[in-house]
Amino acid sequence: MAYKYLPFYETQAFCVKVFQGYGFSEEDSRMITEVLLEADLSGIESHGIQRLTRYDYEIRSGFVKIGSEPEIVYETPISAVMDGHDGMGQIIGVKAMDLAIRKASLAGIGIVTVRDSNHYGIAGYYADMAAKKRLIGISMTNSESIMVPTYGKEPVLGTNPIAFAMYAEPAPFCFDAATTVVPRGKLEVYAKRGSGLPDGWAIDETGRPSSDSDRVLKNIINKSCGGILPLGGAGEQTGGHKGYGFGMICEIMTGILSHGCTSNHVNRTPGSINTSQCFIALDYGIFGDKAETEARLSTFLNEIRQAAKADGEQRIYIHGEKEFERHDKVLRDGIPVNEKTYEEMIRIGKQTGAADLLPKYVNR
Amino acid sequence: MAYKYLPFYETQAFCVKVFQGYGFSEEDSRMITEVLLEADLSGIESHGIQRLTRYDYEIRSGFVKIGSEPEIVYETPISAVMDGHDGMGQIIGVKAMDLAIRKASLAGIGIVTVRDSNHYGIAGYYADMAAKKRLIGISMTNSESIMVPTYGKEPVLGTNPIAFAMYAEPAPFCFDAATTVVPRGKLEVYAKRGSGLPDGWAIDETGRPSSDSDRVLKNIINKSCGGILPLGGAGEQTGGHKGYGFGMICEIMTGILSHGCTSNHVNRTPGSINTSQCFIALDYGIFGDKAETEARLSTFLNEIRQAAKADGEQRIYIHGEKEFERHDKVLRDGIPVNEKTYEEMIRIGKQTGAADLLPKYVNR
């Protein structure tokens, strides 16, 4: 399927107007748009504007409550529990990480767990918020069940991404990864492309390996058995139990420590999705001189870049480096979207009164 | 190769005498033995008594300094940096986690990073120490380079295990996993058995996949290229960059935050191994009622146990459950060791004056 390229700033203006069209304030609309398009700027198509249709559905169906304010329901100098009251995940996420950052600045660390939130976009956005303040940033979210635990065929964990970021020169370290082999968004991209799934990604409702993205996604939507495998794949030989374990750590830090929903209870209550999240900011000044710590990381990252490459490979990437370098290209060439996504934008533009700002595309 | 079964308490008495034979105090010898044999009790052969020969080498060669005391070189109410001064990793580890636990009891969290330590056994032991006190326990260690980063052929990260434990009924959640597909100890077990490595575990010095455990281990010992792949395997399609990323998080939390060595500098200085570690204790009382939090985790773990099994599978395990259930069997039947390990015990017993306590084996 051919890609169309949308000019970045026009697309941004369009999104802001779309979210205002739903009823969000201009400030909130800008906040949501920034998190959303950061994914496209970073080349993470799965979590960018192709997901607008899902947010459109969740907002219009009332799962996302416009105007609801997150509430701090438990607090200590180093921690807080926030009830998102079904607000937009991106707004809750930015406020929760801001709170974690304030606590870290005062007390060395801030850990904010969140319940009754919604999908919040890329976990890395929030980790990066802290890294930009010279703090280690960590963020995790659970999600509707999609990960099949080792030896199971019923999904009970979400894709459960874990993001971890820290300042370094010339580019920050920013790790952001689903604890499944791939995130749900990647299946959506494959389904839109109409291409089959690679081996080792997913199983069908009988528990057998499947390369059929439509079938796997249909099972997920119908809450049937089958789903995505944990990082490490099926069984234990290549470490599938480890991916499942990292997914469990995410569940504990989000759903359990917020007294909210674990993934197997997400999107099971009429009218609410009830996602749980966690935001950590850590001031590494509590371990010594910050500039020295950062210099040590920068040196280490450089040693890795310079290590011997596998035959036929030109480069070893540091986490976040591809995404960091992608920004300039997207600003220059535009955001690549496939035809289906563009059609969704046309429909959503009309429904929200933003049609006049629909960005014109360029084919490349 | 046939396994011999060693009675647990006799083996324990033997180990204590071995470590006293090197010059450790009785208390320290008991501490080291407890961590070492906890691996065998948990069925983690790779990190149990089969590794005695490696400790024997490191102690007799002077890498491990007997009688050295770990020193706190930086401290805040929630953190500390400890210099291990090349002491035995298990002694440093227990003291560092004790300190993290004390800080968590007073301030909600304690994070202790350690530099200039040695191999400390199973990371899960230290995480469990906190879980037994109704705190979340986290521990990580780097190690001599063995993990090849995605697109590289030169190892620059260690096996870098991450352990995470939390109290639950009827058994705690205890995750403990190398961020490589498998730990080095597993290669050692395969080499001792004389059997080939499964696909997707390792690459040789040319960067090609290898099933030859002797060759892979020899390269590791000679610091040649080749090594173990990150969790997720080669390339990015099945998430190898994610295992590499979790390994990086371990490096940052250990080598970088302690101002110690990252894995690519571990065991590169004559006379010192310079392993770095991290110990975190988190009092989840900072997020609300602890009993309710624990009950929520216990419920969730039970929901996972009861989820639909893959065709042909009887059971979904929670992390730590196999190990927890293994204890009774090992106490009853003895510690399984292969012939080569038993021969090493005979030699070490003679050298340390513990030969009279060498446990008699039973063949099964």
Side-chain angles (χ1 to χ4, degrees):
Chain A
M1 191 185 279
Y3 273 82
K4 302 173 184 304
Y5 288 77
L6 310 180
F8 181 78
Y9 293 108
E10 281 87 328
T11 309
Q12 190 180 50
F14 170 75
C15 288
V16 171
K17 190 156 183 189
V18 164
F19 288 109
Q20 286 183 282
Y22 294 126
F24 289 101
S25 71
E26 190 187 331
E27 187 193 344
D28 283 353
S29 297
R30 289 196 183 282
M31 205 182 277
I32 300 165
T33 299
E34 181 170 327
V35 181
L36 184 74
L37 295 190
E38 180 62 32
D40 288 304
L41 269 182
S42 302
I44 310 168
E45 182 184 347
S46 58
H47 282 61
I49 196 153
Q50 81 94 12
R51 193 159 268 186
L52 193 59
T53 181
R54 185 170 156 194
Y55 291 123
D56 175 69
Y57 167 75
E58 288 170 358
I59 292 166
R60 287 189 301 105
S61 310
F63 289 106
V64 171
K65 271 76 173 175
I66 296 161
S68 92
E69 280 291 326
E71 178 192 3
I72 296 171
V73 292
Y74 200 92
E75 192 169 20
T76 78
I78 60 168
S79 67
V81 180
M82 204 178 251
D83 187 323
H85 291 310
D86 298 321
M88 191 75 183
Q90 286 83 348
I91 300 171
I92 298 165
V94 169
K95 291 184 177 175
M97 187 47 108
D98 269 337
L99 180 59
I101 289 170
R102 283 203 301 281
K103 287 180 184 288
S105 307
L106 293 167
I109 193 167
I111 312 178
V112 178
T113 63
V114 171
R115 64 186 186 226
D116 296 349
S117 181
N118 276 291
H119 191 272
Y120 76 168
I122 46 171
Y125 181 87
Y126 310 98
D128 256 345
M129 281 175 65
K132 282 177 181 150
K133 305 273 186 183
R134 303 270 174 108
L135 304 166
I136 284 177
I138 299 174
S139 183
M140 314 177 204
T141 184
N142 67 6
S143 65
E144 195 170 336
S145 290
I146 198 166
M147 183 202 292
V148 180
T150 308
Y151 304 131
K153 69 174 181 182
E154 179 184 346
V156 281
L157 290 87
T159 50
N160 293 12
I162 297 176
F164 181 111
M166 181 172 162
Y167 177 86
E169 289 290 350
F173 172 82
C174 185
F175 171 74
D176 176 3
T179 52
T180 43
V181 179
V182 285
R184 174 183 171 148
K186 211 143 193 178
L187 296 193
E188 290 169 358
V189 170
Y190 271 71
K192 282 191 178 176
R193 275 187 204 154
S195 52
L197 302 176
D199 286 344
W201 283 20
I203 60 170
D204 67 18
E205 68 284 0
T206 70
R208 279 187 292 261
S210 178
S211 63
D212 184 341
S213 55
D214 286 330
R215 183 174 176 178
V216 172
L217 277 171
K218 202 176 119 195
N219 286 336
I220 289 163
I221 290 160
N222 295 340
K223 303 188 195 304
S224 308
C225 280
I228 307 183
L229 287 164
L231 174 62
E236 297 193 22
Q237 184 158 289
T238 50
H241 58 301
K242 300 185 183 186
Y244 159 38
F246 283 116
M248 290 295 293
I249 292 174
C250 177
E251 293 289 349
I252 291 173
M253 295 303 296
T254 61
I256 300 296
L257 293 192
S258 71
H259 290 193
C261 286
T262 47
S263 291
N264 55 333
H265 295 285
V266 166
N267 203 9
R268 299 273 171 166
T269 305
S272 287
I273 291 182
N274 303 125
T275 312
S276 304
Q277 283 133 6
C278 177
F279 303 84
I280 303 174
L282 170 66
D283 183 352
Y284 39 90
I286 63 175
F287 301 105
D289 184 73
K290 289 182 78 157
E292 186 189 338
T293 306
E294 290 161 357
R296 281 170 174 268
L297 177 59
S298 302
T299 299
F300 179 51
L301 299 183
N302 221 28
E303 289 168 348
I304 293 175
R305 286 184 193 98
Q306 288 166 7
K309 317 296 177 285
D311 293 5
E313 298 294 341
Q314 307 304 315
R315 188 169 169 187
I316 296 170
Y317 290 92
I318 299 302
H319 298 83
E321 209 168 36
K322 277 186 189 173
E323 294 76 11
F324 187 80
E325 292 175 5
R326 180 84 175 190
H327 278 219
D328 284 347
K329 186 175 158 59
V330 174
L331 289 174
R332 190 182 63 231
D333 295 347
I335 299 169
V337 298
N338 64 40
E339 210 155 315
K340 200 166 166 189
T341 298
Y342 195 72
E343 283 163 16
E344 289 162 357
M345 289 174 68
I346 295 173
R347 175 182 59 76
I348 291 168
K350 282 183 190 155
Q351 287 173 341
T352 56
D356 58 319
L357 291 187
L358 184 76
K360 305 255 178 306
Y361 61 84
V362 178
N363 286 314
R364 283 181 206 279
Chain B
M1 192 184 281
Y3 272 83
K4 303 173 184 305
Y5 288 78
L6 309 180
F8 181 78
Y9 294 106
E10 280 88 327
T11 308
Q12 191 179 49
F14 171 76
C15 288
V16 172
K17 191 155 182 189
V18 164
F19 288 108
Q20 285 184 283
Y22 295 126
F24 290 102
S25 70
E26 190 186 331
E27 188 192 343
D28 284 353
S29 298
R30 290 195 180 283
M31 206 182 274
I32 300 165
T33 299
E34 182 170 325
V35 181
L36 183 75
L37 295 190
E38 181 62 32
D40 288 304
L41 268 181
S42 302
I44 310 168
E45 182 185 347
S46 58
H47 283 60
I49 195 152
Q50 81 94 12
R51 193 159 269 186
L52 193 57
T53 181
R54 185 169 157 195
Y55 292 121
D56 174 69
Y57 167 75
E58 288 169 357
I59 293 166
R60 286 189 302 105
S61 310
F63 290 107
V64 171
K65 271 76 173 176
I66 296 161
S68 92
E69 280 291 324
E71 177 192 4
I72 296 171
V73 292
Y74 201 91
E75 191 168 21
T76 79
I78 60 168
S79 67
V81 179
M82 203 178 251
D83 186 323
H85 291 309
D86 298 322
M88 189 75 184
Q90 286 82 349
I91 299 171
I92 297 164
V94 168
K95 289 182 178 176
M97 186 47 108
D98 269 336
L99 180 60
I101 289 170
R102 283 202 302 280
K103 288 179 183 288
S105 307
L106 293 167
I109 194 167
I111 311 178
V112 178
T113 62
V114 171
R115 66 186 186 226
D116 295 347
S117 180
N118 275 292
H119 192 274
Y120 76 168
I122 46 172
Y125 181 87
Y126 309 97
D128 256 345
M129 280 175 64
K132 282 178 181 149
K133 304 272 186 184
R134 303 271 174 107
L135 304 166
I136 285 176
I138 298 173
S139 183
M140 312 176 205
T141 184
N142 67 5
S143 65
E144 195 172 334
S145 289
I146 197 167
M147 183 201 293
V148 180
T150 307
Y151 304 132
K153 69 175 182 181
E154 178 184 348
V156 280
L157 290 86
T159 52
N160 293 12
I162 297 177
F164 181 110
M166 180 172 162
Y167 177 87
E169 289 288 350
F173 171 83
C174 185
F175 171 75
D176 177 3
T179 52
T180 42
V181 179
V182 285
R184 174 183 171 148
K186 212 144 191 175
L187 296 193
E188 290 169 357
V189 169
Y190 271 71
K192 280 191 179 177
R193 276 188 203 151
S195 51
L197 301 177
D199 285 345
W201 282 20
I203 60 171
D204 67 19
E205 68 284 0
T206 71
R208 279 187 292 262
S210 178
S211 63
D212 184 340
S213 54
D214 285 329
R215 182 173 177 178
V216 173
L217 277 172
K218 203 176 119 195
N219 285 335
I220 290 164
I221 291 160
N222 295 340
K223 303 188 195 303
S224 309
C225 280
I228 308 183
L229 287 163
L231 174 62
E236 297 194 23
Q237 183 159 290
T238 50
H241 58 302
K242 300 185 182 187
Y244 159 36
F246 283 116
M248 289 295 292
I249 292 174
C250 177
E251 293 289 349
I252 291 174
M253 296 303 296
T254 60
I256 301 295
L257 294 191
S258 71
H259 290 194
C261 286
T262 47
S263 291
N264 55 333
H265 296 284
V266 165
N267 202 10
R268 299 270 170 168
T269 305
S272 287
I273 291 183
N274 304 124
T275 311
S276 304
Q277 284 134 6
C278 177
F279 303 84
I280 303 174
L282 171 65
D283 183 352
Y284 39 90
I286 63 174
F287 302 104
D289 184 74
K290 289 182 78 157
E292 187 188 337
T293 307
E294 291 162 356
R296 282 170 174 269
L297 177 59
S298 302
T299 299
F300 178 52
L301 299 184
N302 221 27
E303 288 168 348
I304 293 174
R305 285 184 192 100
Q306 288 165 9
K309 315 298 176 286
D311 293 5
E313 297 295 341
Q314 308 303 315
R315 188 170 170 187
I316 296 170
Y317 290 91
I318 301 301
H319 300 82
E321 209 167 38
K322 276 186 189 172
E323 293 76 10
F324 187 80
E325 293 175 5
R326 180 84 175 188
H327 278 219
D328 284 348
K329 187 174 157 57
V330 174
L331 288 175
R332 192 183 61 231
D333 296 347
I335 299 169
V337 297
N338 64 39
E339 210 155 314
K340 199 165 167 189
T341 298
Y342 194 71
E343 283 164 15
E344 288 161 358
M345 290 173 68
I346 294 173
R347 176 182 58 77
I348 292 168
K350 281 183 191 156
Q351 288 173 339
T352 56
D356 58 318
L357 290 187
L358 183 78
K360 305 255 178 307
Y361 62 83
V362 178
N363 286 312
R364 283 181 207 280

